[in-house]
Amino acid sequence: MEHSPGPQNVRARLLLASATMLFVELALIRWTGANIVHLSYFSNFILLGSFLGIGLGFLLPAGRGQWLTRWAPIPLAVLVVLVREFPVQVRQSSGEVIYFTAVKTTGLPQWVTLPVLFGLTALIMMAIGKMTADQFRQLPSLEAYRFDLLGSLTGSVSFALLSWLRAPSVVWGVLAALAMLVLVGRRNILRSAIPLAVMVAVLALESAATGISWSPYYKIEVKKSASAARDYNIAANGVPHQSIAPLKALTKPGSPYDQPYRETPRNSHRRVLVIGAGNGNDVALALAHGARRVDAVEIDPRLQEVGASLHPARPYDDPRVHVHINDGRAFLEQTDARYDLIVLALPDSLTLVSGASNLRLESYLFTRQAFEAAHRHLAPGGAFAMYNYYRQNWLIDRFAGTLTSVFGHAPCITHYGNKRAAILVAGTTPAAQSCDATWKASGPVPKAASDDHPFPYLLHRTIPTFYLGVLGAILLVTLASVRLTGVTLRRTVRYADMFLLGAAFMLLETKNVIGFALYFGTTWLVNAMVFAGVLLAVLSAVEVRRRIRKLNQPALQLLLFATLAVSWLIPAHLVLGLPFAGRLAAAIALAFAPIFCANLIFSDRLAVASDPTAAFGANLLGSLVGGTLEYLALVTGYQALLLVVAVLYAGACVLMRFTRPGAGERSEHEPVTVATAPRT
C-alpha cells in the first residue's frame, strides 16, 4: 500500500462512511414515512432513491464530483426543513388498493412532493456514496468490500439499537451530523456545520413537542380528546390511529367493542385473546365481561405503554391480563392455548414491514391460513370476531367469505357508523353465534388472501396504476441521472453481469425478509435480525473468497441454482408447521444458503474487476431494478419471485462468460493503480 499513505486511516474512514451510508438510509426511510402522510406505505420509494444515489456515487470517477463531498450536508438539511416546515403528502385514493387513514391531507401535490423527495434522497446518498467510493478504491477490492460490509453491519445494528431504545429523531440527527463532520474533513467543517446544525435544531424541535414519542414503528402523538366519549386520541405517523375511551363509551349500544360479546351469549368468555390490544380498550371490555385470563397481543410496545399509563380502566394493571409484545400471527403459531373468544381488534397498521417490500405489518393476520390458525385455537363453543372501518364492501366480502370457508357457515355481520364499517363474528358452530343478520355477499367475492399472496387490501392480482406510474418515472430518472452525471455507458455495460447480480440479490433479500416475517413475526426485531444475518452471510462469503484464490465457478453456480430450487420446492406451510427450533434451522438454511453462494460468485467477480467501484456501482443500480421487480409479487405471489431470481442469476452467469476479465486484469492481491481522489 505504498501508493496510499495511512491504510489504517483509509480502512477506518471506509468503515465510517459505509456505516453512515446505511444509517442515513434507514433514518430517511423511518423519518420521512413518519412525517409525510401515506409515505410509510411507500417506504421503498426512499430505498430506491438511496440505491440510485449510492450507485451514482460509486460510478463517478475518482477525480470528479468532489463538490458533492464538500456540500454533502446541505441537501440533507434542505430535506428535513422542507418536510417539517412545508406540509407535504402523498395523496392516495384508489379503487385498486386500500390505504387506512382518517386524515384530510393538505400541502404540496404529489407530483411535486415525490420528485423532490426522490431527488433530494438520491443527492444525499450520492454524496455519501462518493465519500465511500473514494475510500473503497484505495484498498484491494475484497478488502474494501469487507470493510464496507462491516460498516453496513455497524450502521444497521446502530439504528436497530436506537429503535429498541425508542430514541427520538434528534438523536438520529446528532449521530448522522457527527459522522458527516468527520467524513467531510477539517477544511469543510465550517460550511458543513451550519446546515447540520439547522437539521439538528429542526429535529430537536420535533422531538421536544408535547405528546411526541417514538416507537420502533411510528412517531406517536398523544393528545387530550375534545370529545366526551374519548379521553385521548393517538396519532401514528401523523394519522389518527387509536383513541382511549372509558368503559361507559365502550359498552354503549352500537359499540363495535361490545358487539362480539352480545353476539355470543352462550359463551363463557373465560379465556380471551385480543390481537391488536393497543391502548387497552378491548382488554378492558374482556375484563368487564368476566374474563379470567386475557392474553393481550400488541406489536408496538409504545402503544401498549400509552394505554397502561392513560387508560381510565387501568386494564393492564389487572393480574388477569398477560401482555405479549409480539406479532399476532406469530403468537398464534407459537402458543398451544385455546380460547373462548379471539378478537382481531382494529389491527390496521400504517407502515410496511421493511423498505424493500409491499407487506404491511398486519398482512399475515388476514390470510386464509391465519383464519385457520385462529379456528384451531378456539375452544368448543368458542368464537372469532373482527371489526374495522373497512372502507370498501369488497374487503368485507373477502374477509367474510374467507371466514365462511374456514368455519363452514356464514358469520354474523353488524354494520356500525356506515355500511363500510362492520363487525364479523364467527362461532365454531352456528349455535355458538347469535345473529340479527348473517353475511351475504354484496357482489362477486374476491379470492382470499394467502400466505404466498398476503395482500388483502389489493382487489385484484395486479400492480396498481399509481405504482406503475411512479416506478416508470423512477426508471426514467435513473437513466437520465446516469447520463447527466457523466457516467459513460461503456464503463457500465462491461459490468452488466454485476447489474443483474444486484437485481437478483435485492429480490432474494426481500423474499427472505418476507419469509422470516411469516415464520417469526413482522416485528422490527425479526426484521433487524434478518438484515444483520444477510450481511453476515455476505461477509462470510467474502472471507471464504479471500482465502481461496481460485473458485470453481461452474460448480458454484450449480450449487446456487440447487439451493434456489430447494427454497422454491419447499412450501412455507411445511416450515411453519415445524417446532420453533426446527423452523429456525430450516428458515436459516433456506434463506442464507443461496445468499452465501450468490455472494461467493459476486466476490469472485469483484476480486478481478479492473474498476471495482464501477462494478460496485453497477451492482447497486441493479439493486434499484430489483426493488422495482418486487412489485411483481402483487401479481405472482412471493414464492414465484424465486423464479425471477433464478432467471436473473442465469443471465448474470451467461454474461460472466463474456465480461469476466482475462489475464491482463489485476487480481485483488496486486497493487491498486487507480488514481485516488484528493483528500478534502
Side-chain angles (χ1 to χ4, degrees), residues 34-93:
N35 286 278
I36 299 173
V37 172
H38 292 144
L39 191 65
S40 56
Y41 287 121
F42 310 100
S43 56
N44 59 348
F45 181 78
I46 300 298
L47 182 72
L48 297 180
S50 299
F51 281 141
L52 173 61
I54 298 169
L56 292 175
F58 269 80
L59 285 170
L60 282 173
R64 297 188 56 188
Q66 293 306 313
W67 63 272
L68 276 169
T69 61
R70 290 194 294 270
W71 300 100
I74 291 181
L76 182 58
V78 169
L79 185 147
V80 171
V81 171
L82 175 69
V83 171
R84 286 297 302 165
E85 301 304 319
F86 301 94
V88 292
Q89 66 187 16
V90 180
R91 294 184 188 273
Q92 192 44 240
S93 58

Short mmCIF file of all heavy atoms in Angstrom, two decimals, residues 34-93:
data_model
loop_
_atom_site.label_atom_id
_atom_site.label_comp_id
_atom_site.label_asym_id
_atom_site.label_seq_id
_atom_site.Cartn_x
_atom_site.Cartn_y
_atom_site.Cartn_z
N ALA A 34 -42.67 8.88 8.72
CA ALA A 34 -43.35 9.35 9.93
C ALA A 34 -43.92 10.75 9.76
O ALA A 34 -44.84 11.14 10.49
CB ALA A 34 -42.38 9.34 11.11
N ASN A 35 -43.41 11.52 8.81
CA ASN A 35 -43.79 12.92 8.68
C ASN A 35 -44.56 13.25 7.41
O ASN A 35 -45.11 14.34 7.31
CB ASN A 35 -42.56 13.82 8.76
CG ASN A 35 -42.01 13.93 10.18
OD1 ASN A 35 -42.50 14.70 10.98
ND2 ASN A 35 -41.01 13.12 10.49
N ILE A 36 -44.58 12.35 6.46
CA ILE A 36 -45.30 12.59 5.21
C ILE A 36 -46.46 11.61 5.15
O ILE A 36 -46.26 10.39 5.10
CB ILE A 36 -44.37 12.41 3.99
CG1 ILE A 36 -43.22 13.43 4.08
CG2 ILE A 36 -45.15 12.60 2.70
CD1 ILE A 36 -42.17 13.23 3.02
N VAL A 37 -47.66 12.13 5.17
CA VAL A 37 -48.85 11.29 5.20
C VAL A 37 -48.85 10.34 4.01
O VAL A 37 -48.66 10.76 2.87
CB VAL A 37 -50.12 12.16 5.20
CG1 VAL A 37 -51.36 11.30 5.03
CG2 VAL A 37 -50.19 12.95 6.49
N HIS A 38 -49.02 9.07 4.29
CA HIS A 38 -49.09 7.97 3.32
C HIS A 38 -47.74 7.48 2.85
O HIS A 38 -47.67 6.40 2.25
CB HIS A 38 -49.93 8.34 2.07
CG HIS A 38 -51.38 8.52 2.35
ND1 HIS A 38 -52.15 9.46 1.72
CD2 HIS A 38 -52.21 7.88 3.20
CE1 HIS A 38 -53.39 9.39 2.15
NE2 HIS A 38 -53.45 8.44 3.06
N LEU A 39 -46.64 8.22 3.07
CA LEU A 39 -45.37 7.76 2.52
C LEU A 39 -44.90 6.48 3.20
O LEU A 39 -44.14 5.71 2.63
CB LEU A 39 -44.29 8.84 2.65
CG LEU A 39 -43.00 8.55 1.87
CD1 LEU A 39 -43.26 8.53 0.38
CD2 LEU A 39 -41.89 9.54 2.20
N SER A 40 -45.37 6.22 4.43
CA SER A 40 -44.99 4.98 5.10
C SER A 40 -45.52 3.75 4.37
O SER A 40 -45.04 2.64 4.57
CB SER A 40 -45.48 4.97 6.55
OG SER A 40 -46.87 5.18 6.60
N TYR A 41 -46.53 3.95 3.49
CA TYR A 41 -47.00 2.85 2.65
C TYR A 41 -46.09 2.64 1.44
O TYR A 41 -46.22 1.66 0.72
CB TYR A 41 -48.41 3.13 2.12
CG TYR A 41 -49.50 3.01 3.16
CD1 TYR A 41 -50.33 4.08 3.45
CD2 TYR A 41 -49.73 1.81 3.83
CE1 TYR A 41 -51.35 3.97 4.38
CE2 TYR A 41 -50.74 1.69 4.76
CZ TYR A 41 -51.55 2.77 5.03
OH TYR A 41 -52.56 2.65 5.96
N PHE A 42 -45.18 3.59 1.19
CA PHE A 42 -44.31 3.52 0.02
C PHE A 42 -42.85 3.73 0.42
O PHE A 42 -42.10 4.44 -0.24
CB PHE A 42 -44.70 4.59 -1.00
CG PHE A 42 -46.16 4.62 -1.33
CD1 PHE A 42 -47.00 5.54 -0.74
CD2 PHE A 42 -46.69 3.70 -2.22
CE1 PHE A 42 -48.35 5.55 -1.03
CE2 PHE A 42 -48.04 3.71 -2.51
CZ PHE A 42 -48.88 4.63 -1.92
N SER A 43 -42.43 3.09 1.52
CA SER A 43 -41.07 3.34 2.01
C SER A 43 -40.01 2.85 1.05
O SER A 43 -38.86 3.29 1.11
CB SER A 43 -40.88 2.71 3.40
OG SER A 43 -41.17 1.33 3.37
N ASN A 44 -40.36 1.92 0.15
CA ASN A 44 -39.35 1.50 -0.83
C ASN A 44 -39.06 2.61 -1.83
O ASN A 44 -38.07 2.55 -2.55
CB ASN A 44 -39.78 0.22 -1.55
CG ASN A 44 -41.09 0.36 -2.28
OD1 ASN A 44 -41.82 1.33 -2.10
ND2 ASN A 44 -41.41 -0.62 -3.10
N PHE A 45 -39.91 3.64 -1.88
CA PHE A 45 -39.63 4.80 -2.71
C PHE A 45 -38.34 5.48 -2.27
O PHE A 45 -37.48 5.83 -3.09
CB PHE A 45 -40.81 5.78 -2.60
CG PHE A 45 -40.68 7.02 -3.44
CD1 PHE A 45 -40.94 6.97 -4.79
CD2 PHE A 45 -40.29 8.21 -2.86
CE1 PHE A 45 -40.82 8.12 -5.57
CE2 PHE A 45 -40.18 9.36 -3.62
CZ PHE A 45 -40.45 9.31 -4.98
N ILE A 46 -38.16 5.65 -0.96
CA ILE A 46 -36.93 6.22 -0.43
C ILE A 46 -35.77 5.25 -0.62
O ILE A 46 -34.64 5.65 -0.93
CB ILE A 46 -37.10 6.57 1.07
CG1 ILE A 46 -38.23 7.59 1.25
CG2 ILE A 46 -35.81 7.11 1.65
CD1 ILE A 46 -37.99 8.92 0.57
N LEU A 47 -36.03 3.97 -0.47
CA LEU A 47 -34.99 2.97 -0.66
C LEU A 47 -34.45 3.00 -2.09
O LEU A 47 -33.23 2.95 -2.31
CB LEU A 47 -35.54 1.57 -0.34
CG LEU A 47 -34.54 0.42 -0.46
CD1 LEU A 47 -33.54 0.47 0.68
CD2 LEU A 47 -35.27 -0.91 -0.46
N LEU A 48 -35.34 3.11 -3.07
CA LEU A 48 -34.91 3.15 -4.46
C LEU A 48 -34.12 4.41 -4.76
O LEU A 48 -33.14 4.38 -5.51
CB LEU A 48 -36.12 3.04 -5.39
CG LEU A 48 -36.92 1.74 -5.29
CD1 LEU A 48 -38.10 1.76 -6.26
CD2 LEU A 48 -36.05 0.53 -5.56
N GLY A 49 -34.53 5.54 -4.17
CA GLY A 49 -33.75 6.76 -4.31
C GLY A 49 -32.36 6.62 -3.71
O GLY A 49 -31.37 7.14 -4.26
N SER A 50 -32.28 5.90 -2.61
CA SER A 50 -30.98 5.65 -1.98
C SER A 50 -30.08 4.81 -2.87
O SER A 50 -28.89 5.10 -3.04
CB SER A 50 -31.17 4.96 -0.62
OG SER A 50 -31.92 5.75 0.26
N PHE A 51 -30.64 3.76 -3.45
CA PHE A 51 -29.86 2.92 -4.35
C PHE A 51 -29.34 3.71 -5.55
O PHE A 51 -28.19 3.54 -5.97
CB PHE A 51 -30.68 1.73 -4.84
CG PHE A 51 -30.80 0.62 -3.85
CD1 PHE A 51 -31.98 -0.07 -3.70
CD2 PHE A 51 -29.73 0.25 -3.06
CE1 PHE A 51 -32.10 -1.11 -2.78
CE2 PHE A 51 -29.84 -0.77 -2.13
CZ PHE A 51 -31.02 -1.45 -2.00
N LEU A 52 -30.20 4.56 -6.10
CA LEU A 52 -29.77 5.38 -7.24
C LEU A 52 -28.60 6.28 -6.83
O LEU A 52 -27.58 6.35 -7.53
CB LEU A 52 -30.93 6.23 -7.75
CG LEU A 52 -30.57 7.25 -8.84
CD1 LEU A 52 -30.01 6.55 -10.07
CD2 LEU A 52 -31.78 8.10 -9.21
N GLY A 53 -28.74 6.97 -5.69
CA GLY A 53 -27.69 7.88 -5.26
C GLY A 53 -26.38 7.16 -4.97
O GLY A 53 -25.30 7.59 -5.42
N ILE A 54 -26.45 6.06 -4.22
CA ILE A 54 -25.22 5.34 -3.87
C ILE A 54 -24.56 4.77 -5.13
O ILE A 54 -23.33 4.83 -5.29
CB ILE A 54 -25.52 4.21 -2.87
CG1 ILE A 54 -26.09 4.80 -1.57
CG2 ILE A 54 -24.26 3.42 -2.55
CD1 ILE A 54 -26.66 3.76 -0.63
N GLY A 55 -25.39 4.23 -6.04
CA GLY A 55 -24.84 3.69 -7.28
C GLY A 55 -24.12 4.75 -8.09
O GLY A 55 -23.01 4.53 -8.59
N LEU A 56 -24.72 5.94 -8.21
CA LEU A 56 -24.06 7.02 -8.94
C LEU A 56 -22.80 7.48 -8.24
O LEU A 56 -21.79 7.81 -8.88
CB LEU A 56 -25.03 8.19 -9.11
CG LEU A 56 -26.24 7.94 -10.03
CD1 LEU A 56 -27.16 9.15 -10.00
CD2 LEU A 56 -25.78 7.65 -11.45
N GLY A 57 -22.82 7.50 -6.90
CA GLY A 57 -21.63 7.89 -6.16
C GLY A 57 -20.46 6.96 -6.42
O GLY A 57 -19.30 7.40 -6.51
N PHE A 58 -20.73 5.69 -6.58
CA PHE A 58 -19.68 4.73 -6.89
C PHE A 58 -19.25 4.78 -8.35
O PHE A 58 -18.10 4.51 -8.68
CB PHE A 58 -20.13 3.32 -6.53
CG PHE A 58 -19.78 2.91 -5.13
CD1 PHE A 58 -20.53 3.33 -4.05
CD2 PHE A 58 -18.67 2.13 -4.88
CE1 PHE A 58 -20.21 2.97 -2.75
CE2 PHE A 58 -18.32 1.75 -3.59
CZ PHE A 58 -19.10 2.18 -2.51
N LEU A 59 -20.16 5.14 -9.25
CA LEU A 59 -19.83 5.16 -10.67
C LEU A 59 -19.04 6.40 -11.06
O LEU A 59 -18.35 6.40 -12.09
CB LEU A 59 -21.11 5.08 -11.50
CG LEU A 59 -21.78 3.70 -11.57
CD1 LEU A 59 -23.15 3.80 -12.21
CD2 LEU A 59 -20.91 2.71 -12.32
N LEU A 60 -19.13 7.47 -10.28
CA LEU A 60 -18.35 8.67 -10.60
C LEU A 60 -16.86 8.37 -10.54
O LEU A 60 -16.38 7.75 -9.59
CB LEU A 60 -18.68 9.80 -9.61
CG LEU A 60 -19.99 10.55 -9.83
CD1 LEU A 60 -20.24 11.51 -8.67
CD2 LEU A 60 -19.96 11.32 -11.15
N PRO A 61 -16.09 8.80 -11.54
CA PRO A 61 -14.64 8.59 -11.50
C PRO A 61 -14.01 9.28 -10.30
O PRO A 61 -14.58 10.22 -9.72
CB PRO A 61 -14.16 9.21 -12.82
CG PRO A 61 -15.37 9.23 -13.71
CD PRO A 61 -16.54 9.43 -12.78
N ALA A 62 -12.81 8.84 -9.97
CA ALA A 62 -12.15 9.33 -8.75
C ALA A 62 -11.97 10.84 -8.74
O ALA A 62 -12.13 11.49 -7.71
CB ALA A 62 -10.81 8.63 -8.59
N GLY A 63 -11.63 11.42 -9.88
CA GLY A 63 -11.31 12.85 -9.90
C GLY A 63 -12.50 13.75 -10.10
O GLY A 63 -12.34 14.97 -10.18
N ARG A 64 -13.72 13.19 -10.16
CA ARG A 64 -14.90 14.01 -10.41
C ARG A 64 -15.84 13.99 -9.22
O ARG A 64 -15.83 13.08 -8.40
CB ARG A 64 -15.65 13.49 -11.65
CG ARG A 64 -14.85 13.59 -12.94
CD ARG A 64 -15.72 13.25 -14.11
NE ARG A 64 -16.91 14.11 -14.15
CZ ARG A 64 -17.93 13.92 -14.98
NH1 ARG A 64 -17.92 12.90 -15.81
NH2 ARG A 64 -18.95 14.74 -14.97
N GLY A 65 -16.66 15.04 -9.14
CA GLY A 65 -17.71 15.07 -8.14
C GLY A 65 -17.27 15.41 -6.73
O GLY A 65 -17.99 15.13 -5.77
N GLN A 66 -16.08 16.02 -6.59
CA GLN A 66 -15.62 16.35 -5.24
C GLN A 66 -16.50 17.40 -4.57
O GLN A 66 -16.55 17.48 -3.35
CB GLN A 66 -14.16 16.82 -5.28
CG GLN A 66 -13.17 15.72 -5.67
CD GLN A 66 -13.30 14.49 -4.80
OE1 GLN A 66 -13.37 14.58 -3.59
NE2 GLN A 66 -13.39 13.32 -5.43
N TRP A 67 -17.21 18.19 -5.39
CA TRP A 67 -18.12 19.17 -4.80
C TRP A 67 -19.21 18.48 -3.98
O TRP A 67 -19.74 19.06 -3.02
CB TRP A 67 -18.74 20.03 -5.90
CG TRP A 67 -19.58 19.24 -6.87
CD1 TRP A 67 -19.16 18.61 -8.00
CD2 TRP A 67 -20.98 18.99 -6.76
NE1 TRP A 67 -20.20 17.96 -8.62
CE2 TRP A 67 -21.34 18.19 -7.88
CE3 TRP A 67 -21.97 19.34 -5.85
CZ2 TRP A 67 -22.64 17.75 -8.10
CZ3 TRP A 67 -23.26 18.91 -6.06
CH2 TRP A 67 -23.59 18.12 -7.18
N LEU A 68 -19.55 17.25 -4.37
CA LEU A 68 -20.57 16.52 -3.62
C LEU A 68 -20.15 16.30 -2.17
O LEU A 68 -20.96 16.46 -1.25
CB LEU A 68 -20.82 15.16 -4.28
CG LEU A 68 -21.78 15.11 -5.46
CD1 LEU A 68 -21.71 13.76 -6.14
CD2 LEU A 68 -23.20 15.42 -5.01
N THR A 69 -18.90 15.91 -1.97
CA THR A 69 -18.44 15.65 -0.61
C THR A 69 -18.32 16.94 0.19
O THR A 69 -18.50 16.93 1.40
CB THR A 69 -17.09 14.92 -0.64
OG1 THR A 69 -16.12 15.72 -1.30
CG2 THR A 69 -17.21 13.60 -1.38
N ARG A 70 -17.99 18.04 -0.51
CA ARG A 70 -17.85 19.32 0.21
C ARG A 70 -19.20 19.87 0.66
O ARG A 70 -19.30 20.51 1.70
CB ARG A 70 -17.13 20.34 -0.68
CG ARG A 70 -15.66 20.02 -0.92
CD ARG A 70 -14.94 21.21 -1.51
NE ARG A 70 -15.40 21.53 -2.85
CZ ARG A 70 -14.89 21.03 -3.97
NH1 ARG A 70 -13.88 20.16 -3.90
NH2 ARG A 70 -15.36 21.38 -5.14
N TRP A 71 -20.24 19.66 -0.15
CA TRP A 71 -21.54 20.24 0.15
C TRP A 71 -22.57 19.20 0.58
O TRP A 71 -23.78 19.45 0.59
CB TRP A 71 -22.07 20.99 -1.09
CG TRP A 71 -21.17 22.10 -1.53
CD1 TRP A 71 -20.27 22.06 -2.55
CD2 TRP A 71 -21.06 23.40 -0.96
NE1 TRP A 71 -19.62 23.26 -2.65
CE2 TRP A 71 -20.09 24.11 -1.68
CE3 TRP A 71 -21.70 24.05 0.11
CZ2 TRP A 71 -19.73 25.41 -1.38
CZ3 TRP A 71 -21.34 25.35 0.41
CH2 TRP A 71 -20.37 26.02 -0.32
N ALA A 72 -22.10 18.02 0.97
CA ALA A 72 -22.99 16.90 1.28
C ALA A 72 -24.09 17.22 2.30
O ALA A 72 -25.24 16.78 2.14
CB ALA A 72 -22.16 15.70 1.75
N PRO A 73 -23.80 17.96 3.39
CA PRO A 73 -24.86 18.17 4.40
C PRO A 73 -26.01 19.05 3.94
O PRO A 73 -27.09 19.01 4.55
CB PRO A 73 -24.10 18.84 5.56
CG PRO A 73 -22.66 18.48 5.34
CD PRO A 73 -22.50 18.45 3.86
N ILE A 74 -25.81 19.85 2.90
CA ILE A 74 -26.84 20.82 2.51
C ILE A 74 -28.13 20.13 2.05
O ILE A 74 -29.22 20.47 2.53
CB ILE A 74 -26.30 21.80 1.46
CG1 ILE A 74 -25.25 22.70 2.11
CG2 ILE A 74 -27.42 22.64 0.86
CD1 ILE A 74 -24.65 23.74 1.19
N PRO A 75 -28.09 19.18 1.10
CA PRO A 75 -29.36 18.54 0.71
C PRO A 75 -30.05 17.82 1.87
O PRO A 75 -31.28 17.75 1.91
CB PRO A 75 -28.95 17.57 -0.41
CG PRO A 75 -27.48 17.39 -0.27
CD PRO A 75 -26.96 18.67 0.29
N LEU A 76 -29.26 17.30 2.81
CA LEU A 76 -29.86 16.64 3.98
C LEU A 76 -30.63 17.65 4.81
O LEU A 76 -31.77 17.39 5.24
CB LEU A 76 -28.77 15.97 4.81
CG LEU A 76 -29.23 15.19 6.05
CD1 LEU A 76 -30.22 14.10 5.67
CD2 LEU A 76 -28.03 14.58 6.77
N ALA A 77 -30.04 18.81 5.05
CA ALA A 77 -30.72 19.86 5.81
C ALA A 77 -31.95 20.37 5.06
O ALA A 77 -33.01 20.62 5.66
CB ALA A 77 -29.75 21.01 6.10
N VAL A 78 -31.82 20.54 3.74
CA VAL A 78 -32.95 21.03 2.94
C VAL A 78 -34.12 20.06 3.03
O VAL A 78 -35.28 20.47 3.18
CB VAL A 78 -32.51 21.22 1.46
CG1 VAL A 78 -33.73 21.47 0.57
CG2 VAL A 78 -31.55 22.39 1.35
N LEU A 79 -33.85 18.76 2.94
CA LEU A 79 -34.94 17.77 3.02
C LEU A 79 -35.65 17.85 4.36
O LEU A 79 -36.89 17.85 4.41
CB LEU A 79 -34.37 16.36 2.79
CG LEU A 79 -35.40 15.22 2.72
CD1 LEU A 79 -34.93 14.14 1.75
CD2 LEU A 79 -35.64 14.59 4.09
N VAL A 80 -34.89 17.92 5.44
CA VAL A 80 -35.50 17.96 6.77
C VAL A 80 -36.35 19.22 6.95
O VAL A 80 -37.49 19.17 7.44
CB VAL A 80 -34.41 17.86 7.85
CG1 VAL A 80 -35.00 18.12 9.24
CG2 VAL A 80 -33.74 16.49 7.82
N VAL A 81 -35.82 20.36 6.53
CA VAL A 81 -36.55 21.62 6.67
C VAL A 81 -37.80 21.61 5.79
O VAL A 81 -38.88 22.04 6.21
CB VAL A 81 -35.65 22.82 6.31
CG1 VAL A 81 -36.45 24.11 6.25
CG2 VAL A 81 -34.52 22.95 7.34
N LEU A 82 -37.66 21.11 4.56
CA LEU A 82 -38.80 21.07 3.65
C LEU A 82 -39.95 20.25 4.22
O LEU A 82 -41.10 20.68 4.21
CB LEU A 82 -38.35 20.48 2.31
CG LEU A 82 -39.45 20.24 1.26
CD1 LEU A 82 -39.98 21.57 0.74
CD2 LEU A 82 -38.93 19.40 0.11
N VAL A 83 -39.62 19.08 4.72
CA VAL A 83 -40.66 18.19 5.23
C VAL A 83 -41.32 18.76 6.48
O VAL A 83 -42.55 18.66 6.65
CB VAL A 83 -40.07 16.79 5.50
CG1 VAL A 83 -41.06 15.91 6.24
CG2 VAL A 83 -39.66 16.13 4.19
N ARG A 84 -40.53 19.36 7.35
CA ARG A 84 -41.08 19.86 8.62
C ARG A 84 -41.81 21.20 8.47
O ARG A 84 -42.84 21.41 9.09
CB ARG A 84 -39.94 20.02 9.64
CG ARG A 84 -39.43 18.72 10.20
CD ARG A 84 -40.49 17.97 10.98
NE ARG A 84 -41.03 18.75 12.09
CZ ARG A 84 -42.15 18.47 12.74
NH1 ARG A 84 -42.86 17.43 12.37
NH2 ARG A 84 -42.55 19.21 13.74
N GLU A 85 -41.29 22.09 7.65
CA GLU A 85 -41.84 23.44 7.59
C GLU A 85 -42.88 23.63 6.50
O GLU A 85 -43.69 24.55 6.57
CB GLU A 85 -40.71 24.46 7.41
CG GLU A 85 -39.67 24.43 8.53
CD GLU A 85 -40.30 24.62 9.91
OE1 GLU A 85 -41.20 25.48 10.02
OE2 GLU A 85 -39.88 23.93 10.85
N PHE A 86 -42.85 22.81 5.47
CA PHE A 86 -43.81 22.91 4.38
C PHE A 86 -44.53 21.58 4.25
O PHE A 86 -43.93 20.59 3.84
CB PHE A 86 -43.10 23.26 3.06
CG PHE A 86 -42.35 24.55 3.12
CD1 PHE A 86 -41.00 24.57 3.44
CD2 PHE A 86 -42.99 25.76 2.88
CE1 PHE A 86 -40.30 25.76 3.50
CE2 PHE A 86 -42.30 26.95 2.96
CZ PHE A 86 -40.95 26.96 3.27
N PRO A 87 -45.80 21.54 4.65
CA PRO A 87 -46.52 20.25 4.65
C PRO A 87 -46.47 19.58 3.29
O PRO A 87 -46.79 20.19 2.27
CB PRO A 87 -47.95 20.65 5.02
CG PRO A 87 -47.81 21.97 5.71
CD PRO A 87 -46.64 22.65 5.07
N VAL A 88 -46.04 18.35 3.30
CA VAL A 88 -46.00 17.56 2.07
C VAL A 88 -46.77 16.27 2.29
O VAL A 88 -46.98 15.84 3.42
CB VAL A 88 -44.55 17.26 1.63
CG1 VAL A 88 -43.84 18.52 1.21
CG2 VAL A 88 -43.78 16.57 2.75
N GLN A 89 -47.18 15.66 1.22
CA GLN A 89 -48.04 14.49 1.35
C GLN A 89 -47.95 13.65 0.09
O GLN A 89 -47.48 14.08 -0.94
CB GLN A 89 -49.48 14.91 1.56
CG GLN A 89 -50.04 15.63 0.32
CD GLN A 89 -51.41 16.20 0.57
OE1 GLN A 89 -51.84 16.33 1.68
NE2 GLN A 89 -52.11 16.52 -0.49
N VAL A 90 -48.42 12.43 0.22
CA VAL A 90 -48.66 11.58 -0.94
C VAL A 90 -50.15 11.27 -0.90
O VAL A 90 -50.61 10.46 -0.12
CB VAL A 90 -47.84 10.27 -0.87
CG1 VAL A 90 -48.13 9.41 -2.09
CG2 VAL A 90 -46.36 10.57 -0.77
N ARG A 91 -50.92 11.98 -1.72
CA ARG A 91 -52.37 11.74 -1.75
C ARG A 91 -52.60 10.35 -2.33
O ARG A 91 -51.99 9.98 -3.32
CB ARG A 91 -53.08 12.77 -2.63
CG ARG A 91 -53.02 14.19 -2.10
CD ARG A 91 -53.83 15.10 -3.02
NE ARG A 91 -53.65 16.49 -2.66
CZ ARG A 91 -54.37 17.13 -1.75
NH1 ARG A 91 -55.32 16.47 -1.11
NH2 ARG A 91 -54.15 18.39 -1.47
N GLN A 92 -53.50 9.59 -1.73
CA GLN A 92 -53.75 8.26 -2.27
C GLN A 92 -55.17 7.84 -2.03
O GLN A 92 -55.60 7.64 -0.91
CB GLN A 92 -52.80 7.23 -1.65
CG GLN A 92 -52.80 5.90 -2.35
CD GLN A 92 -52.78 6.02 -3.87
OE1 GLN A 92 -53.68 5.56 -4.54
NE2 GLN A 92 -51.78 6.66 -4.41
N SER A 93 -55.92 7.75 -3.08
CA SER A 93 -57.26 7.17 -3.05
C SER A 93 -57.37 6.33 -4.30
O SER A 93 -57.12 6.80 -5.40
CB SER A 93 -58.33 8.26 -3.01
OG SER A 93 -58.21 9.10 -4.14
#
